[in-house]
């Protein structure tokens, strides 16, 4: 049964006694034995299966818990004026949009919020910060997968909404549903799942929607990501509906227009500590609440507020890039917070005055809060430090705790390189307008590196039209700093390993050793890059950011080093392979220039390789290219797709898995799932470089790549059109996700029609928008507040076989995070996972029957000066130990058709598969 939760009148008075302290309440809903009601139907039960177990759940929230009136410590008083900043606790329900809220609040509040996961703190720790340290002015509860009825999905948030009646709270999406659920409303399946789609919203003019228009054609369009809704018929009296939309009305992204503001009608509320001031200002005509009551079966609740508590919820996502007036909602919530505490303190000061000790404590808390936010990185270490203080130093006076925190922070962030500092020097030579004269990038690579293609690399911008890419980099085994790193995760076939693995290192002299990395490969790479010292003047004048360093790939399974708890499938290929390239050639396709670069330790000579490479470069002509073409023309062992390649999943199984994805989406477990599979073929002898040259000719791409790791019997022929992430020398991060694909037309007219069809497709717009918001979140974790932006949204780009929908997200990297920190915050690329990312990857691991291996990972470089550029590994042939494999997949959203998804998956194999077929 559901309980309608009522507030006792005693709970509505301001705490005024210094002797009042909170009592610990221990009904942690995360325990498996706790049973709470579900959302499917009013009379039905639901199975929660996050951990693979089937658990029947029903509601037994006891009155003894809900009506418990525990005493709280008095809120510290400050002078009665609005502060310069507002301190927010942002609770993350394991969502992939939380840091979009973080970015918005950082600007609106004047200081970034503290972010914790919904299971990071115990109830006692939360109360300590709220009522003893007075560290926060308000709370925001994030969106997230699942249902508020599932303990693992909502964590501590239900307790917070029940007990923290005297602190302003804003719940977004799942947080909104939790606000309704905890007060007795039922959360049920929506008539239709809505993800990444826009709707017009009508509201009642309360303070949360102050200065925001309302209704049809007003310009107030919001992005929705939800499969579940609050059942309006079950809404208790203490919860007031404040916003709603049509249950079936959605709008395309393109063509939206803002209109004049809408003056809302009056709404009646109970009187208590909290009064929304705008509700008393909106005239006394017919209320929207009354109108809503007459038609609510045809409407969906988009917002609620508590009648006597400063608690609000919105079902839509104000932080989405496509939501209109989203920032205004967060500004209004800050105003609500400021006004609430002014009224609270005014009421208190009628009876008592704040003492000087209290003011000193607030000052100390504020200083600590600012120090916290200077140190937050992608691993949220500041919160970890705060938790250590809570566990070990609560007996200390506050200034001692602050000193201890700062001491710990400095210790954690002190530099500790793995192999000591290395001082590197760069020398380079430029040959203006030379590339075209000597046959272009293909001829240069084949002439300098192609005769002995073992242990070579080529980051190949083979498609440069419309400014998609500009530079190519190539090289091979060379100078004294050259080495190869090969990393394999420890055996995790049982699905429980969380990282660590074996790193094999081979230097230029052939000396090799293997070590175990307990903290994993990315931690090792981070320490390596931090160990390099360099002079920025060395690369002054170079137009590109790769000046030497690591070139290679990161496999999909390294997601376990980026927040995922386990891998179900072990990769056949190494999980990461990199060369340290100390000699390389760079080509500027825009200006047709060629560069030779060499890096050495400070005391070493580096002119010999530059001299030799220059001599070879200037002697190149068309003969190398012709010899290679004749060599590559010999027949190979590939046969046709039907006779040769075998799919990991037959058509029927893939379609069935798409249906399972749709079920997960309907139940609110995910907004979007990028389901993939692989096709494979045994091979005998193969000129893999010849295959790559054939692939780049048939399907040129801006982020193509050739990698040859001869000791691992591994060649990668990649024609990727998608950038994962780039960091340039100005600390600007850029991601360019692709979501939405359609085949090219047979005629120019048909081709343009198909391109327009893609651009106007609501399904493809939804796919793209969800991943754009996900990448904004990932960049928001490591970028300066307010710097993340989307200069290009849903542009259509055309390639040899497909049109694709591409967006661009950029942000300014924070000074306290490293290049590898940025990668860890965003890997794997959201376009290959779906959203929310962590839950989606868990679900995909359960559906996919083999490891993705290198596919869905990234290829590129980490320069010794901490710039990087990485692609997404798609449209790629992997040749490993006598087998060729091609991965492909597609994003499953609520609007997906299973048969169409299977055909789209096949379309994405077309370019690499055709290259193999024709290279016989």
């Amino acid at each position: 049964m559901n309980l309608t939760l009522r507030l006792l009148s005693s709970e509505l008075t301001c705490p005024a006694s210094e002797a009042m302290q909170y009592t610990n309440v221990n009904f942690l809903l995360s325990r498996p034995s706790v049973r709470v009601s579900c959302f499917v139907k009013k009379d039905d039960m639901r199975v929660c299966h996050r951990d693979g177990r089937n658990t029947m759940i029903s509601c037994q929230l006891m009155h003894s818990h809900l009506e418990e009136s525990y005493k709280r410590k008095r809120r510290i008083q400050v002078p009665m004026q609005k502060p310069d900043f507002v301190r927010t606790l942002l609770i993350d329900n394991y969502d992939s949009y939380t840091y979009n809220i973080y970015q918005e609040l950082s600007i609106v509040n004047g200081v970034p919020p503290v972010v914790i996961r919904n299971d990071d703190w115990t109830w006692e720790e939360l109360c300590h910060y709220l009522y003893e340290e007075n560290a926060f002015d308000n709370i925001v509860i994030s969106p997230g997968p699942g249902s508020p009825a599932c303990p693992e999905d909502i964590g501590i948030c239900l307790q917070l909404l029940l007990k923290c009646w005297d602190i302003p709270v804003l719940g977004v999406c799942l947080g909104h549903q939790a606000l309704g659920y905890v007060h007795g409303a039922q959360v049920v399946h929506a008539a239709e799942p809505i993800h990444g789609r826009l709707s017009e919203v009508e509201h009642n003019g309360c303070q949360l929607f102050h200065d925001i228009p309302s209704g049809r054609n007003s310009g107030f369009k919001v992005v929705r990501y939800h499969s579940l809704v609050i059942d309006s018929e079950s809404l208790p009296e203490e919860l007031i509906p404040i916003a709603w939309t049509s249950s079936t009305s959605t709008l395309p992204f393109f063509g939206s227009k803002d209109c004049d503001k809408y003056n809302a009608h009056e709404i009646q509320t109970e009187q208590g500590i909290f009064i929304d001031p705008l509700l008393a200002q909106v005239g006394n005509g017919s209320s929207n609440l009354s109108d809503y009551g007459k038609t609510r079966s045809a409407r969906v609740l988009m917002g609620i507020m508590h009648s006597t508590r400063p608690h609000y919820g919105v079902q839509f996502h104000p932080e989405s890039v496509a939501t209109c007036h989203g920032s205004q909602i967060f500004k209004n919530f800050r105003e609500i917070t400021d006004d609430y505490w002014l009224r609270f303190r005014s009421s208190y000061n009628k009876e008592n005055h704040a003492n000087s000790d209290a003011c000193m404590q607030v000052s100390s808390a504020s200083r600590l809060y600012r120090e916290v936010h200077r140190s937050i990185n992608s691993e949220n270490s500041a919160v970890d430090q705060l938790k250590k203080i809570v566990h070990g130093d609560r007996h200390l006076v506050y200034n001692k705790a602050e000193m201890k925190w700062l001491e710990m922070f400095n210790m954690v962030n002190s530099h500790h390189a793995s192999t000591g500092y290395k001082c590197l020097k760069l020398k380079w030579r430029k040959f203006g307008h030379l590339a075209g004269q000597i046959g272009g990038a293909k001829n240069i690579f084949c002439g300098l590196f192609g005769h002995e293609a073992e242990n070579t690399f080529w980051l190949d911008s083979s498609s440069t039209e419309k400014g998609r890419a500009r530079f190519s980099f190539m090289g091979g085994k060379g100078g004294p700093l050259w080495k190869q790193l090969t990393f394999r995760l420890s055996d995790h076939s049982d699905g429980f390993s969380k990282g660590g693995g074996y790193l094999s290192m081979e230097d230029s002299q052939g000396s090799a050793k293997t070590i175990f990395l307990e903290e994993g490969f990315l931690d090792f790479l981070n320490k390596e890059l931090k160990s390099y010292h360099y002079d920025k003047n060395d690369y002054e004048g170079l137009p590109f950011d790769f000046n030497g360093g690591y070139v290679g790939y990161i496999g999909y399974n390294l997601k376990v080093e980026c927040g995922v708890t386990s891998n179900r499938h072990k990769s056949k290929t190494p999980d990461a392979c990199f060369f340290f390239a100390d000699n390389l050639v760079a080509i500027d396709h825009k200006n047709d220039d060629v560069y030779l670069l060499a890096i050495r330790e400070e005391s070493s000579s580096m002119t010999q390789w530059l001299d030799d490479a220059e001599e070879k470069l200037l002697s190149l002509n068309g003969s190398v290219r012709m010899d290679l073409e004749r060599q590559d023309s010999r027949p190979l062992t590939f046969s046709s797709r039907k006779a040769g390649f075998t799919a990991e999943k037959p058509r029927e199984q893939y379609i069935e898995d798409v249906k399972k994805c749709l079920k997960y989406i309907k139940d609110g477990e995910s907004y979007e799932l990028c389901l993939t599979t692989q096709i494979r073929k045994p091979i005998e002898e193969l000129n893999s470089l010849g295959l790559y040259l054939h692939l780049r000719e048939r399907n040129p791409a801006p982020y193509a790549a050739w990698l040859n790791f001869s000791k691992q019997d591994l060649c990668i022929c990649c024609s990727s059109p998608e950038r994962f992430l780039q960091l340039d020398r100005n600390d600007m991060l850029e991601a360019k996700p692709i979501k939405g694909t359609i085949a090219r037309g047979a005629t120019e007219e048909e081709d343009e029609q198909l391109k327009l069809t893609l651009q106007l497709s609501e399904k493809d717009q939804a796919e793209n928008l969800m991943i754009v918001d996900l990448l904004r979140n990932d960049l928001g974790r490591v970028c300066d507040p307010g710097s993340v932006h989307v200069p290009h949204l849903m542009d259509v780009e055309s390639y040899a076989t497909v049109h694709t929908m591409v967006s661009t997200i950029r942000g300014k990297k924070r000074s306290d995070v490293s290049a590898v920190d940025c990668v860890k915050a965003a890997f794997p690329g959201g376009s290959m996972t779906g959203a929310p990312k962590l839950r989606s990857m868990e679900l995909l691991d359960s559906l996919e029957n083999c490891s993705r291996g290198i596919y869905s990972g990234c290829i590129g470089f980490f320069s010794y000066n901490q710039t990087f550029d990485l692609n997404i590994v798609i449209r790629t042939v992997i040749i490993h130990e006598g087998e060729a494999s091609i991965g492909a997949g597609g994003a499953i959203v609520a609007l997906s058709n299973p048969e169409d998804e299977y055909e789209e998956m096949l379309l994405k194999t077309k370019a690499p598969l055709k290259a193999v077929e024709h290279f016989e």
Side-chain angles (χ1 to χ4, degrees), residues 65 174 556 589 692 843:
H65 289 310
L174 183 64
Y556 179 74
H589 297 285
Y692 173 68
L843 297 174

Side-chain angles (χ1 to χ4, degrees), residues 204-216:
N204 68 353
C206 69
Q207 191 174 6
L208 190 66
F209 295 109
H210 177 59
D211 210 24
I212 295 175
S214 175
R216 176 175 290 186

Side-chain angles (χ1 to χ4, degrees), residues 725-736:
L725 200 61
Q726 177 195 44
L727 176 67
D728 67 19
R729 69 183 66 179
N730 298 314
D731 284 339
M732 287 301 297
L733 278 167
E734 179 182 274
K736 290 177 69 72

Side-chain angles (χ1 to χ4, degrees), residues 14 26 44 175 291 310 339 384 469 530 605 644 759 776 840 858 885:
C14 295
N26 297 312
D44 288 352
D291 293 340
D339 291 345
D384 294 336
K530 286 183 175 180
S605 172
Q759 189 167 24
R776 290 174 59 239
S840 295
C858 59
S885 63

Side-chain angles (χ1 to χ4, degrees), residues 26-38 45-48 53-62 65-66 148-155 158-159 162 181:
N26 297 312
F27 76 115
L28 295 179
L29 297 182
S30 60
R31 297 292 182 265
S33 60
V34 174
R35 298 155 65 91
V36 293
S37 78
C38 273
M45 309 292 285
R46 182 199 167 200
V47 176
C48 256
R53 296 174 298 176
N54 294 331
T55 307
M56 298 302 295
I57 47 183
S58 63
C59 182
Q60 294 183 0
L61 295 177
M62 304 304 294
H65 289 310
L66 305 184
C150 186
E152 286 186 315
D153 294 341
I154 199 64
L158 294 186
Q159 285 176 282
L162 279 171
Y181 176 78

Side-chain angles (χ1 to χ4, degrees), residues 232-247:
S232 59
E233 298 290 344
S234 68
L235 204 66
E237 292 180 5
E238 57 263 41
L239 295 181
I240 302 169
I242 59 176
W244 46 90
T245 189
S246 168
S247 62

Side-chain angles (χ1 to χ4, degrees), residues 651 654-655 658-659 662 763 767 891-905:
R651 180 181 186 276
Y654 192 87
I655 290 174
V658 173
K659 293 177 181 178
L662 292 172
K763 170 186 174 292
E767 281 186 29
I892 313 303
V893 297
L895 295 174
S896 290
N897 174 277
E899 288 76 14
D900 291 345
E901 291 297 335
Y902 178 76
E903 294 302 321
E904 181 178 329
M905 182 274 293

